[in-house]
Amino acid sequence: MSDPPVYTAQPPRSRPPPALVTAVGVGALLATLYPPAAERALAVYGVRGVAVVLLAMGLASLIAWQFFGTARVPIFLRAALLVLPGAAAVTGDALFLRLVPAAIQALIAALFVVSLRGGGSLFYDAARSLHPYAPDFIAPYCRKSTIVFAGIFALLAVVAGGLAFHPPASGWGSASGLWIWTPVIAASLVDWAVRKWWFRYFGPGPLDQLLKRLLPPENTAAGRRSLEYIRRMRAQLGMPPP
């Protein structure tokens, strides 16, 4: 039996992230920046002035999503980004503008859930876009992590709604734009640590090399599987062994 062929092709460049991943990133950025910016804008331009600007931005986003978006997101969630500033423009009530972060976080949670359809997941799509040779055996972990973050963002939407109805004395913008994201940052750090501990995949950076000494891949079945995959892929690409 002849030896398997060794491929010498260059590794492919990282692919652009899928539309769903991009939408989550943009939504997370908006949910972070909007509360403090809106709080300052309300003091200068008033409720109706801010509402009109948000309506224009929301309409542009809705049109762009209609033409370029590939994820099936419930229409009521997308429409909420128009309904809330619309209600604020009609009534002059700032409550509707304070509810916008809750709507954005509910939309992010829905995007995480939508990505699970068909056996995929948002985190697996993101991993494949960043690392085209990411192995299939990470898919189950990515699905579990996607479910966890969907739950976190759903909970954040509830908390953001509570802050909208009962703004803290320290300021609604600061609370909604910073404090509420502490669970996401903490969960991201925990997820990173768990992935390193479980898969034992380490890059060339100094932190990864330190972790490699503390968590030798050879000591676990998952680590050995990662090592074998890396060696096999490097051999197929005509690259030296790790």
Side-chain angles (χ1 to χ4, degrees), residues 76-162:
F76 73 90
L77 283 174
R78 284 184 283 151
L81 300 181
L82 294 177
V83 170
L84 292 174
V90 172
T91 64
D93 191 342
L95 170 63
F96 296 106
L97 298 180
R98 294 197 300 267
L99 284 171
V100 169
I104 293 175
Q105 286 156 6
L107 177 60
I108 293 174
L111 291 174
F112 274 99
V113 173
V114 166
S115 74
L116 297 170
R117 294 176 179 174
S121 71
L122 186 140
F123 283 145
Y124 184 65
D125 289 342
R128 292 299 297 268
S129 68
L130 294 172
H131 303 286
Y133 288 131
D136 292 339
F137 59 74
I138 69 171
Y141 176 89
C142 289
R143 280 185 63 83
K144 293 175 183 177
S145 186
T146 297
I147 292 170
V148 169
F149 274 82
I152 290 174
F153 277 101
L155 179 60
L156 288 177
V158 174
V159 175

Side-chain angles (χ1 to χ4, degrees), residues 7-54:
Y7 300 99
T8 57
Q10 294 297 317
R13 295 181 180 180
S14 298
R15 297 175 297 176
L20 201 62
V21 177
T22 302
V24 168
V26 172
L29 181 63
L30 287 176
T32 303
L33 299 179
Y34 171 81
E39 193 169 47
R40 294 185 181 93
L42 283 169
V44 177
Y45 302 107
V47 173
R48 288 188 168 89
V50 176
V52 169
V53 172
L54 288 180

